[in-house]
Amino acid sequence: MPKDAVMNCYASSFKTISLVLAVVFCFSCQKDMVKPDPVIVELNDPTPGQGGFTIVADNITETENGYEFSGTLGTKTSEDLEFEIGEGRFEVITGPGGVVTSISGTTMVKFPDVGLFGEMLKTYVWKEIEGHIEYETGQYYINNYGTEVPLNPETRYLRFKLYNESRDAKFELRHKLNKLRYHFKEFYLDPLDPAILLKGEISMPDLPSEIEGNDEAAIYWETVSQTAQEAIGVYVPMVDMQAIVGISNQARFTSTPYDFKIANNEYFISKYGYNSFEKASSHFYLRLANIPIPLTKGLLQVTGDMYIHIPQKTIVPAPALSVEDNYDAILDYLNDKQDHGYMINVTGSIDPLANPVADGIFNSLANLNNIVGVDVFNADINLELVNATFQFQRPGYRAIISDPSLSYLRFGGQQNGVLLTDLFGDDIKKHILLVPIPAVSNFFYLSVGPAKDNFSIYREESARIVLPFYGDLDLGLAYFYINKDSIEIGTNRDMEVGPFHLKGETKGVLSRERCTLTKVVDHSFIVDGVELGAANLNLKLDSKEGITMHGDIILPFGLGEAAITGSFINQKIAFSGMLKAGVEIDLGNGFRLPTADMKFSVKQGEGFELEGKVQVPYAGWLSVKGKLTSGDFLLEGEANAGIMLFGATSLPHANGIISISKKNGIHFSGIFDLRPFGNRKLEGSITATEINLAGSFNASVPIGGHTFTFANVTTRANNNGVSITGSIDLYFVSVALSGSYRGANDFTLTGQHNYNTPLIKTTLRVVVTNSSVSITGSGKVYGLLGNELYSGALRFVPNWANKTVSACYTVLNSETCIQL
């Protein structure tokens, strides 16, 4: 061997359970060597994704339950990224399976230099200071130190604490350019992420922010700041603030926005397209206590949790995106840049610095003063939100060109008090009464962007509308939606207004001139005992006109659908309208009557009146009017002179009277021209397929130059024609007749009668036409002693002028006549 022969070196392997423990001793024992190479020990957790630790030291002492050494301690993340923790003296405790359970010691604390933290170190400077180190569970730190840092009880953290707290020096992370500085006495490190969590002081740069492009949200806060300064003077934002900070390489923080407590949920969604903000992962977490929200010019302060997210492409909150390897948003925020943009999400209690700030918040909204009817800047508005989420998105200059995001700010939550009392001017408050309810917080929402004049305010408050001729109507918890054009108002409260039961949403518009709410009534209602159906009835509640209505209702008893207008004054309803064109009155069994120009009106307490035209079978279009009651309707009218057809017979008529009801159908009466029997009254019923009229009379009827007396005459007119029954006085006998009537010159009545006296027995056959009354027959003639003188046909010779009729017979060419 050469004289520089190397001594044999040995390698001793520490026992390996489930933990892979590799200890490599490489002592190069050359005679001219002064210092041996360091020993490297890798302590890898056998469970994938659980990382591990690395020891680099000149000498390592193996203890009963671990190791002691002076050197460098490193760690490995769940993604196998390695970085140094610090250099110092350490004691490492391992438990079952060889897993590291505890670390203690002192070290010159290093800042992680992997992933996001490596990017941060390009613009930030980390000041290494000696500190104590521990490695325990989050629950251990909570129990032993009462830390306010939000640690996961089951996660193991490295805790670093200043070695000498009596000195002024602190751990410090300082930006190289803009004076932003984080300084603190202790912090926690999750080596698997890595993530750091700390409570300390943040020194904010007091530098003006540059606003470029379409960053309307930032422009808005600049306007608010300028407006507020008019009332409170020049305001310098707080430079230093105490806060809890978290930075996670793998974006393991998750924002949990406020769960909106919206009473009128459907309306809110109709306006905004959503009713909640989405949870999202974040690289950055900040817990604030009465600290101004960054980028609100120090005007809006918060007690709660703040997160930084990548900017969204839409106003409607999108589901959470994976941002583990996307550091653009957080680096923009940490470096006070806007290359890519970011969104701030803050949840907690939000409060303007002073009431003039709240005034400025509203006064900076385009055209708001004109809408609400007051100079908002002169109001005294309290805008403290007890539970809320604030979101403020800056789009980023690069993103504006390549992949634009929207610029907006919005915050919503619960607000105590009666906000709108201060926000609305007197011109508006005379139409609406806002009702303060102590200890009750109501929902408030403000959105600005993406365009500079695109703002909206949503607020829920108890309110009453002032209605002439009625009084105050309680709207319950109403909603108000305000933008640059108008104020919308509505409520979901069930309300009783006169005969109407308003169920569900009632909504409208509020302005300096009036407040108008409308509601479609979709249920039946009762007026004077009559139940009316609402087909499409619009009820209007107006602070100038009172309660009015227009739309469609359904009249009962088959009268059909009608369009109406009306009002409700002094607890009484009145309206009028017309049956819709083409509406038919349904009398049942398929019998329907077309209508035209059918008007009706009602005054509560005075009943319903109807008037118009109906088309009646066999009678044509008739003008009618009548009333509607709780049990039925009755329409009555007159039929002008005309012709009515019965089968093939047409009868002129005059003075016709018709009545129509659901219960009794159609009844018609009129004076019909039945010449030569005179003008006679016929009456009866009309159905869809039949007409049945009848009339009775006694009459003197001129026939063939003589006037005959008819008695007990009954005329029937129906689909089959016109028939007449009755009796005619032939002076010596009255004969029953019946027959058809086809007109004044076309009728035939016939009858027969058995005429018996001691001298003659005969069967008379009588025929009556428009021109004559004729008698025929046959029989027997007897002598005074009762002997039969003749049997056969008889000739009847009337002398109507003398009111006599003779029966003649011929025997042996000699005619003998007997006066009957």
Side-chain angles (χ1 to χ4, degrees):
M1 262 184 123
K3 66 177 180 178
D4 294 339
V6 179
M7 298 177 57
N8 288 331
C9 300
Y10 66 92
S12 176
S13 299
F14 296 101
K15 57 185 179 180
T16 302
I17 307 173
S18 62
L19 177 69
V20 176
L21 173 57
V23 182
V24 180
F25 291 96
C26 298
F27 295 103
S28 296
C29 305
Q30 296 178 333
K31 288 182 179 181
D32 56 351
M33 185 174 188
V34 176
K35 183 179 180 180
D37 291 337
V39 178
I40 300 176
V41 178
E42 294 186 1
L43 305 173
N44 296 321
D45 194 305
T47 304
Q50 291 302 306
F53 292 92
T54 302
I55 299 171
V56 179
D58 292 334
N59 59 78
I60 301 174
T61 301
E62 182 178 2
T63 64
E64 182 179 349
N65 55 0
Y67 310 92
E68 291 180 354
F69 65 96
S70 294
T72 300
L73 180 64
T75 188
K76 182 185 295 184
T77 72
S78 60
E79 298 175 322
D80 292 332
L81 299 177
E82 298 182 3
F83 63 93
E84 290 186 5
I85 294 171
E87 183 176 353
R89 181 165 182 79
F90 304 91
E91 180 181 2
V92 177
I93 306 293
T94 59
V99 176
V100 175
T101 60
S102 176
I103 298 174
S104 61
T106 59
T107 180
M108 296 299 291
V109 182
K110 293 182 178 293
F111 194 76
D113 60 359
V114 295
L116 171 61
F117 298 97
E119 294 296 322
M120 289 178 62
L121 289 176
K122 294 178 181 179
T123 54
Y124 279 82
V125 176
W126 171 255
K127 181 180 179 181
E128 291 189 14
I129 297 179
E130 186 177 15
H132 296 285
I133 183 172
E134 291 180 270
Y135 181 63
E136 299 289 351
T137 64
Q139 189 64 59
Y140 173 88
Y141 298 129
I142 294 171
N143 293 341
N144 287 274
Y145 302 124
T147 179
E148 299 177 29
V149 175
L151 303 178
N152 185 328
E154 298 179 359
T155 299
R156 290 187 172 273
Y157 298 90
L158 290 163
R159 175 178 181 261
F160 301 95
K161 188 175 184 302
L162 284 177
Y163 183 77
N164 187 347
E165 295 188 34
S166 63
R167 298 179 182 176
D168 293 335
K170 298 178 182 179
F171 296 121
E172 180 179 274
L173 183 65
R174 176 176 53 82
H175 199 278
K176 296 178 181 179
L177 299 177
N178 66 12
K179 299 183 183 179
L180 178 64
R181 183 179 61 180
Y182 301 85
H183 39 127
F184 38 93
K185 295 182 178 180
E186 65 176 354
F187 72 96
Y188 297 84
L189 172 66
D190 174 6
L192 291 179
D193 187 345
I196 62 171
L197 297 103
L198 60 92
K199 179 180 180 181
E201 187 176 83
I202 304 177
S203 295
M204 304 292 290
D206 186 18
L207 298 174
S209 297
E210 295 183 0
I211 301 174
E212 298 184 13
N214 63 347
D215 193 358
E216 301 297 345
I219 295 172
Y220 169 76
W221 280 114
E222 184 69 31
T223 305
V224 174
S225 176
Q226 295 173 1
T227 303
Q229 286 176 13
E230 297 179 19
I232 61 177
V234 177
Y235 176 69
V236 179
M238 295 177 61
V239 175
D240 295 333
M241 61 183 180
Q242 291 291 325
I244 294 174
V245 181
I247 304 175
S248 168
N249 176 64
Q250 297 182 33
R252 292 187 177 181
F253 301 128
T254 301
S255 62
T256 303
Y258 161 71
D259 184 14
F260 290 173
K261 304 296 188 299
I262 307 172
N264 298 278
N265 200 48
E266 291 184 5
Y267 177 84
F268 188 88
I269 293 175
S270 72
K271 288 299 182 183
Y272 294 100
Y274 56 91
N275 62 350
S276 64
F277 296 147
E278 295 284 346
K279 293 182 178 181
S281 57
S282 174
H283 292 284
F284 185 85
Y285 164 81
L286 190 64
R287 176 171 292 179
L288 305 169
N290 293 320
I291 301 299
I293 299 175
L295 303 178
T296 65
K297 308 297 291 185
L299 299 175
L300 207 60
Q301 57 189 12
V302 66
T303 296
D305 298 330
M306 185 182 98
Y307 298 86
I308 303 299
H309 300 302
I310 61 174
Q312 303 223 340
K313 306 300 181 185
T314 62
I315 287 290
V316 176
L321 301 174
S322 175
V323 297
E324 180 178 341
D325 298 321
N326 186 342
Y327 305 137
D328 292 339
I330 181 58
L331 290 175
D332 264 13
Y333 174 78
L334 292 172
N335 293 322
D336 196 26
K337 289 183 175 294
Q338 281 185 256
D339 289 339
H340 304 280
Y342 53 87
M343 191 259 279
I344 295 177
N345 185 100
V346 183
T347 297
S349 297
I350 300 174
D351 186 18
L353 180 68
N355 283 7
V357 174
D359 300 346
I361 287 173
F362 292 113
N363 197 59
S364 300
L365 301 172
N367 201 41
L368 178 64
N369 287 344
N370 291 331
I371 295 297
V372 299
V374 68
D375 185 353
V376 177
F377 185 63
N378 292 324
D380 187 18
I381 300 173
N382 176 17
L383 190 59
E384 180 181 0
L385 302 180
V386 292
N387 292 294
T389 288
F390 171 91
Q391 291 189 343
F392 180 12
Q393 179 159 298
R394 309 191 73 179
Y397 305 144
R398 294 183 183 178
I400 291 172
I401 300 172
S402 61
D403 189 14
S405 299
L406 301 174
S407 175
Y408 60 79
L409 70 91
R410 56 196 182 191
F411 54 94
Q414 300 300 119
Q415 189 266 338
N416 290 326
V418 186
L419 172 68
L420 299 181
T421 297
D422 299 325
L423 186 61
F424 288 160
D426 291 338
D427 286 346
I428 286 184
K429 287 189 284 189
K430 68 185 179 183
H431 303 299
I432 201 84
L433 300 176
L434 299 162
V435 184
I437 301 178
V440 173
S441 61
N442 296 319
F443 185 71
F444 171 84
Y445 188 80
L446 170 66
S447 175
V448 180
K452 65 174 62 178
D453 62 348
N454 189 358
F455 80 88
S456 64
I457 298 170
Y458 178 88
R459 171 65 172 168
E460 293 180 342
E461 247 177 65
S462 296
R464 295 172 178 268
I465 182 174
V466 182
L467 298 172
F469 315 112
Y470 182 86
D472 300 343
L473 177 63
D474 187 2
L475 302 178
L477 187 62
Y479 62 77
F480 299 82
Y481 176 80
I482 309 169
N483 61 18
K484 66 181 180 62
D485 298 316
S486 65
I487 304 173
E488 295 182 15
I489 179 176
T491 179
N492 280 334
R493 182 175 184 267
D494 293 349
M495 299 180 289
E496 301 292 336
V497 181
F500 303 108
H501 175 66
L502 307 186
K503 185 176 179 62
E505 186 178 39
T506 302
K507 60 183 179 180
V509 177
L510 174 62
S511 70
R512 302 167 73 170
E513 289 74 33
R514 69 200 317 148
C515 179
T516 302
L517 296 173
T518 58
K519 173 67 177 178
V520 176
V521 179
D522 57 2
H523 60 84
S524 61
F525 58 99
I526 296 175
V527 179
D528 286 349
V530 178
E531 183 173 359
L532 305 170
N536 186 27
L537 180 61
N538 295 281
L539 190 67
K540 183 168 77 170
L541 312 173
D542 188 273
S543 61
K544 280 196 170 182
E545 299 177 4
I547 302 174
T548 58
M549 65 212 69
H550 74 277
D552 303 333
I553 66 171
I554 302 173
L555 299 177
F557 314 120
L559 287 173
E561 194 169 315
I564 70 161
T565 59
S567 60
F568 185 74
I569 299 175
N570 298 328
Q571 301 302 314
K572 289 190 176 182
I573 191 171
F575 56 82
S576 60
M578 296 186 67
L579 267 64
K580 286 193 170 182
V583 165
E584 298 177 327
I585 298 176
D586 186 357
L587 295 177
N589 298 319
F591 189 13
R592 307 178 73 90
L593 300 181
T595 65
D597 303 326
M598 182 64 74
K599 300 181 292 185
F600 74 95
S601 62
V602 60
K603 292 182 179 179
Q604 192 169 353
E606 299 180 18
F608 288 76
E609 295 185 355
L610 301 98
E611 183 176 0
K613 295 179 180 179
V614 294
Q615 187 179 31
V616 179
Y618 309 100
W621 285 99
L622 303 178
S623 296
V624 295
K625 61 182 178 179
K627 290 187 176 294
L628 176 64
T629 67
S630 60
D632 202 353
F633 70 90
L634 177 63
L635 297 175
E636 296 179 315
E638 296 181 356
N640 296 326
I643 302 294
M644 190 170 284
L645 185 65
F646 300 93
T649 302
S650 298
L651 292 184
H653 69 82
N655 302 325
I657 297 175
I658 193 164
S659 65
I660 305 170
S661 70
K662 181 77 171 183
K663 181 179 180 180
N664 298 319
I666 301 176
H667 182 270
F668 182 87
S669 68
I671 304 302
F672 288 82
D673 183 356
L674 294 174
R675 286 179 294 176
F677 298 95
N679 294 323
R680 300 303 173 182
K681 179 181 180 181
L682 300 180
E683 62 181 337
S685 63
I686 297 176
T687 70
T689 57
E690 294 183 348
I691 181 170
N692 287 286
L693 305 183
S696 299
F697 55 88
N698 297 316
S700 297
V701 181
I703 299 176
H706 185 74
T707 299
F708 294 88
T709 299
F710 283 76
N712 300 320
V713 178
T714 297
T715 302
R716 301 184 186 280
N718 54 42
N719 297 60
N720 297 321
V722 180
S723 64
I724 296 177
T725 62
S727 63
I728 186 171
D729 184 0
L730 298 179
Y731 304 113
F732 71 98
V733 69
S734 181
V735 178
L737 301 174
S738 64
S740 60
Y741 179 91
R742 291 172 294 279
N745 298 316
D746 186 9
F747 63 87
T748 301
L749 304 180
T750 62
Q752 65 179 25
H753 182 76
N754 292 325
Y755 182 78
N756 296 313
T757 67
L759 299 178
I760 187 169
K761 297 182 185 295
T762 181
T763 297
L764 304 175
R765 287 180 292 277
V766 180
V767 178
V768 178
T769 66
N770 63 297
S771 59
S772 66
V773 176
S774 62
I775 305 172
T776 60
S778 62
K780 294 180 179 183
V781 180
Y782 297 91
L784 294 175
L785 298 178
N787 56 312
E788 182 179 300
L789 300 178
Y790 176 80
S791 177
L794 300 173
R795 187 172 70 88
F796 293 88
V797 180
N799 185 344
W800 300 124
N802 294 326
K803 300 181 180 179
T804 61
V805 176
S806 297
C808 301
Y809 62 95
T810 300
V811 177
L812 299 175
N813 294 321
S814 176
E815 184 179 60
T816 303
C817 293
I818 302 173
Q819 185 173 327
L820 302 178

